[in-house]
Amino acid sequence: MSQNGPLHQQLIDRFDEMSPQLQQAARYLIENPQEIALRSMRELARNAGVQPATMTRLAKFIELSGYEDLRREQARLIRQGGEGFVHRALESDRNLVAGSPEGLAQEVLGGLAAQIEQLRQPQTIARLTGAADCLAGARRIYVQGARSCHSVAWQFHYVLSLMGEKTVLLEAPGARGPMP
């Protein structure tokens, strides 16, 4: 599913309504959208750690007639080039070449505004408040971020350390697996 595709959005929008098994399958599909069109339903289910019937139930949960509709829709998006980040970046480059940097700025700022608007939703605020309560109640918070996530982990540790001394940054900026 492309990042902005309708299937991707449906899975995200209805994620909280799903059973744990459906959530496990949905999480795998969200994280591995290209696999839908390239793998069999059984192989996808095995990779997601669920039964094949769960994939069919997931498709029906998001109001498709079955798994094949899910697969067909994803294949169509792939054939069209999707609307993922790479596609938008290439399109943005074409806009710049055509002399429209304002269009690119509008697109980027519009995306940021939409993300901020999502943060204002009551369910998002409730989740953030719950996470803050959980962090506030912890005796110690260990923070680890490897490779590209290291800078985010470091920033998180830094901000929390300004509020107290209960965070520990587990250094592993280039690590490929669990720390020894």
Side-chain angles (χ1 to χ4, degrees):
M1 278 154 259
S2 73
Q3 290 295 64
N4 294 327
L7 296 175
H8 182 266
Q9 194 58 48
Q10 280 183 298
L11 289 174
I12 291 173
D13 290 345
R14 301 207 47 209
F15 190 82
D16 290 337
E17 302 168 31
M18 297 176 189
S19 69
Q21 284 293 102
L22 290 181
Q23 285 181 345
Q24 187 173 341
R27 189 175 296 112
Y28 183 81
L29 296 182
I30 290 168
E31 292 172 359
N32 302 284
Q34 67 285 356
E35 298 293 309
I36 298 169
L38 303 175
R39 307 269 181 232
S40 71
M41 179 176 65
R42 290 188 186 285
E43 193 174 355
L44 269 182
R46 184 175 51 250
N47 292 345
V50 298
Q51 295 295 318
T54 304
M55 292 297 183
T56 300
R57 286 196 328 271
L58 179 61
K60 289 183 178 187
F61 186 84
I62 59 172
E63 300 172 3
L64 297 172
S65 63
Y67 178 78
E68 280 305 312
D69 283 351
L70 182 69
R71 185 178 199 164
R72 200 176 359 264
E73 178 62 21
Q74 186 58 26
R76 184 186 64 75
L77 283 174
I78 289 172
R79 279 193 296 276
Q80 289 178 346
E83 295 182 12
F85 179 77
V86 172
H87 177 75
R88 289 193 317 266
L90 291 172
E91 190 61 35
S92 296
D93 283 347
R94 285 187 213 113
N95 287 343
L96 284 174
V97 170
S100 177
E102 294 83 8
L104 175 60
Q106 286 290 342
E107 183 179 339
V108 169
L109 293 172
L112 290 172
Q115 289 174 3
I116 290 171
E117 183 59 35
Q118 275 188 319
L119 288 173
R120 294 182 58 228
Q121 300 301 314
Q123 65 270 23
T124 305
I125 292 173
R127 285 182 178 164
L128 290 172
T129 302
D133 290 343
C134 184
L135 292 171
R139 289 186 317 163
R140 179 125 1 247
I141 301 168
Y142 295 93
V143 182
Q144 179 180 12
R147 297 187 301 239
S148 64
C149 296
H150 184 263
S151 60
V152 175
W154 186 90
Q155 183 69 27
F156 182 68
H157 161 69
Y158 174 72
V159 170
L160 287 180
S161 71
L162 293 175
M163 295 182 251
E165 295 184 17
K166 61 189 209 177
T167 65
V168 175
L169 180 64
L170 303 174
E171 291 285 348
R176 289 205 158 102
M179 289 184 59

